[in-house]
Amino acid sequence: MRGIVKMRLFNKRRKTSQQRRHLTIATLEGVPSVIFQTLLGGQFLTGFLLYLGANSEQIGFVLAITTFVNIAQLAVAFLIQRLNSRKWPLVFFVGMHRLLWGFTGLVPFLFSQDKWVQAFIVFYVAAFLFNTVGAVLWNSTISDMVPPKVRGRYFGIRNTMLNALGTLFMFLGGMILDHYPGSQGFLYLYIIIWICITANIIVFFFYPDIPFERSTESKFIPMLKKPLRDSSFMKPTLFLASFLFLQNLVVPLYSYVMLELLHINYQTISLINVTQTVFMMASFYVWGNLNARYSNRRLLFWTLPVIATSILLWGTLSIFPLLPILFTAQMIFGVGVGGFNQLAFNFMIGDTPKSERPMYTAMYSAITGVASFFGPLIGGKVYGWIDHWPNWTQIYGMQLVVGIIMILLMMSLGRRILRDT
């Protein structure tokens, strides 16, 4: 009898130890990942594209394409059912995504100046095509690595830690570009980026190869129909997609407005974005604790008025000083979008059947990806159309219109669709 009890205790300790090791690896992997993604995104992405000679429409396309390619995740979710192992395909596709994204820094060395923007877009699109596969594999793997009971708090703590690091490098990156403007500054950024890309790929070799529960369907169409027939999943997904479409009409182009129209320097923009990230970090822990008491759907609804308010605040630039409004708007946006992203992820991996999770997450990514694609694409075109209009229409006019529509959508449909079931 004692031997059986000891064996059970040993197995329990072994399982706990293994889970902790998995969580540690997932956290360590995020360290170099958040650094290079910070330096390759946001105002640095916009700034590099402006340096290469891109216009507002091309910037809008680049910001949008990363989400549009998520449509391919539907096919990926079906094909991974035939894999015997998720680990090595994960390492390959994630590695290719990182490498191709890093190759964008080589564009000025490999191509003539008139081809810079086109070459950047080719590398960028190729990178995120590989990422569509890697994202499905990572979501599937991480949902098995993190026990359901600790998901809310673990991702809250993980996101807080990693975003603190991202905040530091966002500020350092802004300082580098202000001190070394142009090609020299971007060269220094890409040196840091390549070091982090290499470290990130290496850590993925230590990811566990966890067996996964396959779908009960063996054919693509029946598997595809599973999430489509689940109204408790599809209604929130379609609503959130419409909200993301509106959000992405203006938010991805904030850096363009600040750099080109308001003529704010990189260091100040970095400080504004650092402020957003600090408030996002603080919100992760709060949203994670609230998630232990309230459902993903209810909390997702609570994030919507926060995001809409942050966008509406841009309209007050007509009567209040510039920088205080931008800082305040980004603080509020950080709280809202931090909660939204964290809870949407928990909704994907927590409110869906385990055996069908790859297709559910792929469906969510595809639908929201299409909406997020057309948002900045149309937003970029609108900025081109209204280029000759009064300056205020470009700086905060669009934000006012979008914010009002978001409030109306939230009050009319959001309450009904995101209520607890």
Side-chain angles (χ1 to χ4, degrees):
M1 185 67 179
R2 287 182 180 176
I4 295 173
V5 172
K6 286 182 179 179
M7 183 62 73
R8 287 177 178 173
L9 287 172
F10 174 76
N11 288 336
K12 186 176 181 180
R13 286 174 185 166
R14 184 178 179 184
K15 185 177 180 181
T16 302
S17 176
Q18 189 178 59
Q19 287 175 348
R20 286 181 178 176
R21 187 163 59 251
H22 291 171
L23 298 182
T24 300
I25 291 170
T27 303
L28 290 175
E29 177 269 314
V31 171
S33 177
V34 77
I35 295 173
F36 81 75
Q37 290 190 57
T38 297
L39 297 179
L40 283 171
Q43 75 267 25
F44 303 113
L45 173 60
T46 304
F48 190 56
L49 284 168
L50 289 171
Y51 164 72
L52 295 179
N55 56 38
S56 64
E57 292 185 26
Q58 290 170 323
I59 292 171
F61 175 80
V62 170
L63 296 173
I65 194 63
T66 58
T67 54
F68 185 74
V69 295
N70 284 341
I71 295 175
Q73 289 191 15
L74 294 171
V76 175
F78 170 71
L79 293 173
I80 68 168
Q81 303 296 325
R82 285 154 173 72
L83 294 175
N84 294 322
S85 165
R86 286 177 294 187
K87 177 177 178 176
W88 299 115
L90 173 66
V91 172
F92 173 75
F93 284 100
V94 166
M96 288 300 297
H97 165 247
R98 272 57 168 162
L99 292 173
L100 286 167
W101 200 0
F103 284 160
T104 57
L106 301 178
V107 165
F109 300 99
L110 299 177
F111 302 92
S112 59
Q113 190 169 354
D114 61 316
K115 302 293 183 184
W116 282 1
V117 177
Q118 295 91 326
F120 179 96
I121 291 173
V122 169
F123 279 125
Y124 196 77
V125 171
F128 281 89
L129 284 172
F130 277 96
N131 189 54
T132 58
V133 183
V136 173
L137 291 167
W138 188 82
N139 285 334
S140 174
T141 302
I142 201 71
S143 65
D144 290 339
M145 288 173 65
V146 183
K149 290 183 179 179
V150 301
R151 274 182 194 149
R153 293 190 177 181
Y154 168 74
F155 284 114
I157 294 170
R158 180 181 186 267
N159 291 341
T160 301
M161 291 171 55
L162 295 181
N163 277 273
L165 187 63
T167 298
L168 173 63
F169 276 85
M170 186 184 297
F171 181 70
L172 292 175
M175 289 181 64
I176 290 171
L177 288 183
D178 278 336
H179 194 67
Y180 302 101
S183 59
Q184 188 177 4
F186 285 113
L187 175 63
Y188 292 153
L189 287 191
Y190 269 95
I191 290 172
I192 299 171
I193 286 163
W194 271 103
I195 292 170
C196 292
I197 284 174
T198 304
N200 184 239
I201 294 172
I202 290 172
V203 177
F204 268 105
F205 280 85
F206 294 92
Y207 257 55
D209 194 5
I210 304 173
F212 69 107
E213 188 176 334
R214 288 174 171 79
S215 171
T216 56
E217 301 291 346
S218 59
K219 295 183 178 180
F220 178 69
I221 297 301
M223 194 183 299
L224 185 68
K225 287 181 179 178
K226 289 260 185 173
L228 290 173
R229 289 174 174 170
D230 188 345
S231 61
S232 66
F233 170 78
M234 286 302 299
K235 286 181 180 179
T237 298
L238 290 170
F239 172 77
L240 294 175
S242 63
F243 197 85
L244 283 171
F245 168 75
L246 292 170
Q247 176 182 307
N248 283 304
L249 282 171
V250 291
V251 173
L253 292 160
Y254 279 176
S255 294
Y256 171 77
V257 173
M258 287 188 280
L259 284 168
E260 283 291 285
L261 303 178
L262 297 174
H263 307 292
I264 301 173
N265 60 42
Y266 282 105
Q267 190 168 341
T268 303
I269 295 174
S270 292
L271 281 172
I272 292 171
N273 288 330
V274 163
T275 303
Q276 173 192 320
T277 308
V278 167
F279 276 77
M280 185 189 300
M281 287 180 336
S283 78
F284 285 144
Y285 185 74
V286 175
W287 290 115
N289 284 331
L290 287 172
N291 205 193
R293 298 174 57 192
Y294 302 104
S295 70
N296 293 318
R297 285 178 172 83
R298 177 182 292 191
L299 292 177
L300 271 169
F301 177 76
W302 291 357
T303 67
L304 305 185
V306 181
I307 294 172
T309 299
S310 73
I311 292 173
L312 283 171
L313 267 177
W314 278 70
T316 61
L317 287 173
S318 59
I319 53 176
F320 293 114
L322 175 68
L323 290 180
I325 291 301
L326 293 181
F327 274 100
T328 304
Q330 293 305 88
M331 288 176 194
I332 297 172
F333 184 72
V335 173
V337 80
F340 184 94
N341 292 340
Q342 184 167 309
L343 293 160
F345 182 74
N346 290 344
F347 168 70
M348 279 193 296
I349 69 171
D351 293 4
T352 54
K354 185 177 180 181
S355 62
E356 309 300 327
R357 190 166 293 150
M359 185 57 76
Y360 271 76
T361 56
M363 183 64 70
Y364 177 89
S365 297
I367 293 172
T368 57
V370 170
S372 298
F373 169 76
F374 284 106
L377 191 66
I378 293 173
K381 285 188 175 294
V382 171
Y383 272 108
W385 295 335
I386 65 175
D387 183 56
H388 61 285
W389 288 19
N391 208 36
W392 69 267
T393 61
Q394 301 173 64
I395 293 173
Y396 59 82
M398 272 189 67
Q399 285 88 326
L400 273 176
V401 172
V402 169
I404 291 169
I405 296 173
M406 291 171 86
I407 292 290
L408 294 174
L409 181 67
M410 177 193 69
M411 298 304 294
S412 60
L413 295 176
R415 283 183 176 178
R416 192 163 67 244
I417 292 174
L418 293 177
R419 70 178 185 270
D420 291 333
T421 55

